[in-house]
Amino acid sequence: MLGFTAFWLLSAPRPLPASAIPAHTANIANGEILYTTGGCRNCHKPKAEQAGLDPNLPSGGFPLKTPIGVLYPPNLTPDAQTGIGNWSDIDFVNAVQRGISKSGQHLIPAFPYTSYAAMPVEDVLDIRAYLMSLPPVASPRREAEIPVAFLLRRGLGLWKFVGLDTASWQPDTSQKPGWNRGSYLVNGPGHCGECHTPRNLIMARDNSRFMMGGPHPEGQGKVPSLHGLVETGRYKDQKDLVLALQNGEVFGYEHMSSGGMGQVQANMAKLPQADVEAIAEYLISLK
Amino acid sequence: MLSKNLFKSITAGAIVLGLGFSLAYAAADDQIKARQAEMKANGKAIGALVAIIKGEASYDAAVVKASLDAMATADAAAGEAKAWDASSMEGATVETWAKPEIWAEGSDIGAKYQAWVDARAALAATTDEAGFKAAFPALGAACQSCHESFRRPKG
C-alpha cells in the first residue's frame, strides 16, 4: 500500500503554472514554419476513410501504430467541442511541452513532446496561433487501443523523470547563426532525434549515441546515422544535402522515403530555403 | 518386413519433404534476389538521369533512352522471375526490405506500379531537354511513393 501511495504521488502530472506564459504577440507565419517542421499534420491528419474531411487539416484520427498499440492523434483544429477551440495557452503548452492533456492525464510519448519541450514557449504559442487560424473541423477523438491505458498513463509520470528533459534548447555561441538555427530546428520542433537517436532499455533517447541511428522506434527496419554524411560520401557537400532534403527521391536521392522519412522530407520541401540550408549546415557538422 | 518398409517409406517421405522445403527456400530466395536486382538496376539507371537534372551532365537523348530501357528490362526480368509474388515471402532465408503490406488486402501496390510504368512512358515520349526536365519529377515521385508505403528502411 505504501508502495502504491509513493507511486501515486511520484507519478502525478506536474504541469506548468499559468504564470509560465510570457507576454507575447503571436507570429502566425513563424507558427506555420514550426508546425511544418514539427510534422504535426503528419500524425494529426484525418483517416483516409473519413470522407469529406480535408486531408490538409489536422482534424485527427489517422491511426498511429506503435509497439504498445494503436493511437489516434486527436483533432488540433479550433473546433470548440472536438478540437482545441476552448483550450487556453497554458493547456496547449502543457500538452506540447510537458505531455499533459487538458484533463490532466499524461500523454503517451509517441507524441514527441520530449523534443518539443526544448522550444521556447513563445514558439509554441505561435504554433497555437497558427492552428487557431485554421478552419474548425468537427471530428471527435477516438480512444487509444492499448491495454491498461489508465495505469500506463499514470506510470508515465515516473518515466518522465528520465525520459522528459525540460531544459530549453540553448545556442552554442562559438557557432554561426545558421548552425544554431539548424541545431534548433533539428533538436526542437523537427524532433529528428526521436527516430535518429537510438533508445535505451527504458525507451528514452540515449544521448550517448546522439543521432547514431538504430532500430526504428515503430518496429520496422533501421534508421540510419546522421553522422559523417559528407565524410562517408553519402552527400557531396552541404548544397547536395539541401537538394536531397528538398527533393528526396524525386531527384534520385536514396534513403529519403521509407520508415516515415518521406513525410519528413516532404515537410522540408516546404520550408524557407534559409532554414533547409541551416538544417544541412548543422547536420554535416555531426562528424 | 513391414516395419522395415515403413521405416523406408518414412525416410523416403522425409527426404522428399526436406527437399520440398529446401526447394521452397531456394525459390523464395531467388525471387527476393530478382526483386533486389531489379531495384538495384533502377537505382543505377536513374543515376544517369539525375546527373542531367542536377546539371552534372548535359542532356543526351541517347542516355535517357538507355536508362529507360534498362528499367524496362529490369521490370520484365523481375516479372519473369515472379519477383513480386507473395510466395517470395514464404520460407525465405535472405533478408528483404519489402513490407508484407504489399500483399495485404486493400494494398495499392498495383496503382503504385502503374504510376511508375506511366511515368517511364511519359519520359520516353519527351524529345528535348525542357520536356525531359518537366517529366522527370513524376518518375522520381513514383519511386518515392512506392518506397514510402512498401519498403522498410535498410539503415
Side-chain angles (χ1 to χ4, degrees), chain B residues 20 22 40 49 60 66 74 77 83 89-90 99 106 115 119 121 124 151 155:
Chain B
S22 50
K40 287 202 173 92
L49 304 181
D60 180 343
M89 303 303 266
E90 280 153 29
K99 287 201 198 172
R151 186 183 68 169

Side-chain angles (χ1 to χ4, degrees), chain A residues 236 249-251 253 258 265, chain B residues 54 56 136 144 147 151:
Chain A
K236 258 192 305 226
E249 280 191 35
V250 172
F251 264 28
Y253 287 99
S258 310
Q265 186 269 315
Chain B
K54 286 203 229 163
E56 292 162 2
F136 180 81
Q144 178 174 46
H147 294 158
R151 186 183 68 169

Side-chain angles (χ1 to χ4, degrees), chain A residues 43-60:
Chain A
C43 290
H44 289 270
K45 66 189 166 195
K47 200 171 174 232
E49 292 96 86
Q50 284 168 305
L53 295 188
D54 183 345
N56 295 313
L57 292 174
S59 59

Side-chain angles (χ1 to χ4, degrees), chain B:
Chain B
M1 253 209 298
L2 189 75
S3 64
K4 204 169 176 185
N5 277 338
L6 191 64
F7 176 74
K8 262 192 196 154
S9 52
I10 288 173
T11 324
I15 290 173
V16 171
L17 257 178
L19 206 63
F21 274 129
S22 50
L23 280 178
Y25 281 141
D29 285 358
D30 287 346
Q31 284 165 291
I32 290 173
K33 284 184 198 149
R35 188 161 65 216
Q36 291 170 349
E38 172 194 11
M39 286 298 157
K40 287 202 173 92
N42 281 337
K44 200 159 161 250
I46 208 167
L49 304 181
V50 169
I52 300 175
I53 290 290
K54 286 203 229 163
E56 292 162 2
S58 44
Y59 172 76
D60 180 343
V63 170
V64 175
K65 182 173 185 317
S67 299
L68 291 170
D69 285 351
M71 285 186 198
T73 309
D75 184 3
E80 195 78 14
K82 298 198 177 3
W84 294 91
D85 278 19
S87 57
S88 66
M89 303 303 266
E90 280 153 29
T93 62
V94 295
E95 185 160 17
T96 172
W97 288 272
K99 287 201 198 172
E101 282 88 334
I102 291 176
W103 297 278
E105 224 182 281
S107 151
D108 65 347
I109 182 87
K112 303 251 192 248
Y113 170 77
Q114 194 55 45
W116 176 48
V117 174
D118 293 348
R120 270 158 41 199
L123 204 54
T126 63
T127 50
D128 58 7
E129 182 164 3
F132 168 77
K133 288 200 163 157
F136 180 81
L139 177 69
C143 316
Q144 178 174 46
S145 97
C146 192
H147 294 158
E148 199 168 341
S149 304
F150 296 122
R151 186 183 68 169
R152 295 188 287 132
K154 237 176 185 178

